[in-house]
Amino acid sequence: MSAPRQLSLNAFIYPSGHHEAAWRHPDSRPDRIYDVTYYQEIGRTAEAAKLDAVFFADGPALRTDVRHNAAPGLEPITLLTAIASATTHLGLIATASTTYYEPYNLARLFSSLDHISGGRAGWNIVTTGTDLAAANFGLDRHPDHAERYARAREFVDAVVALWDSWEDDAILLDREAGVYADPDRIHPIDFVGEHLRVRGPFNSARTPQGHPVLVQAGASNEGRAFAGKYAEAIFTAHQRLSDAQAFYADIKGKAAEFGRDASAVKILPGISPFIADTEEAALKLEREFNELTVPEYGLKQLESITGTSLRSFALDEPVPVEAFAGAGDVTDNARSRLQVVAGIVERERPTLRGLLHRLAGARGHRVFAGTPEQVADTIEEWFTQGAADGFNVMPPYYPGGLEVFAETVVPILQERGLFRTEYTGTTLRDHFGLARPESRFARSAALAG
């Protein structure tokens, strides 16, 4: 008999918390966001709860309005190496852009993280949505959406080929014969595309996981097609169960179209939980954070998320549905986060202030206020009803928001048999239930033989 299906749970680390006003709340620690020991402590909290991984977002430009919020500043791959030294099992996922890196350099960074951590690395593949980055790299313009994804497809193909270029048995370590490695088992990749050219071979042996786990977070039409072909885990944002179910079915279907095992593609929506002993107390906690928001900051965030300005509307007047006309829906949309916001406006008819509060919690991801049992209930519902394989947990504030989730919600999920009580493997692939990929060159050699 096969083992029962288990949740995947990641802690999405955002320095003082995912609520935009977290840094102003007394339970957060914005004074420590450049202190590596702060993140190591968070990593140990996540590992003690047996979470699959920690995850860092990143971008090569200053997008945060630092007048009104703390800016995340530490480079995540470097930071995850420090967290690796303070943990033994916890997965380590970092965001890196296919638009503003080169394949060889990026392959080295994640290969090194996978070796250093003993097989716990994951790469969250992004194309970078903001045009603020272009000038930081001497470019006159930010590539358009289609161009970025065309480059991204070549980029991932080249990076994975580099990781594959050493066969698993390439290192012989024959001291007596004086042979360290077999050059016939180390291959140039000779990758030539429209956007990229990479000769190879790689300058490092294959990693403990074969290659780091490939993670993706784009939910546009291009992003979904990309995810269906490449992603092994997908981070996504949904407000409603029905939307999450539609997205889940769509991605699993796209993976099957590419000849992949759909069960090996993990769909992980974001959830930002305000947790207290009673629902009333949890809602009160959420209100405390919302009352600390600065409307000017929220308006800038809204514009960066959706590309739509609502500055002409009064804060305490309803947002017109027409302001989001043409946003599309969850099954066919080119701008996924715009569609999430449009759905909130259409269903809830909030005032502009109310909309800013709705988005303050997690930038369009689902915010939930309730007791530990209620949080566990909603996680279980989405997990069992075809909407999620797990969740990217986005605490409203750090470090306490993760601590209360780990201490109160995780035990309930464990008691229900939905989440592990101990790690059963040592790599991120083990935690996600993913197979170790074989080197393409090993397959070629076997066919030639």
Side-chain angles (χ1 to χ4, degrees), residues 50-74:
K50 313 304 178 189
L51 300 193
D52 294 60
V54 290
F55 163 71
F56 281 93
D58 191 50
L62 179 62
R63 296 184 65 182
T64 300
D65 173 9
V66 294
R67 179 178 178 83
H68 300 300
N69 200 355
L74 294 178

Side-chain angles (χ1 to χ4, degrees), residues 415-437:
E415 289 168 8
R416 296 179 184 181
L418 299 172
F419 191 64
R420 69 175 69 85
T421 56
E422 294 293 340
Y423 289 110
T424 56
T426 60
T427 71
L428 181 55
R429 290 187 176 278
D430 291 335
H431 306 340
F432 280 167
L434 299 172
R436 185 180 187 274

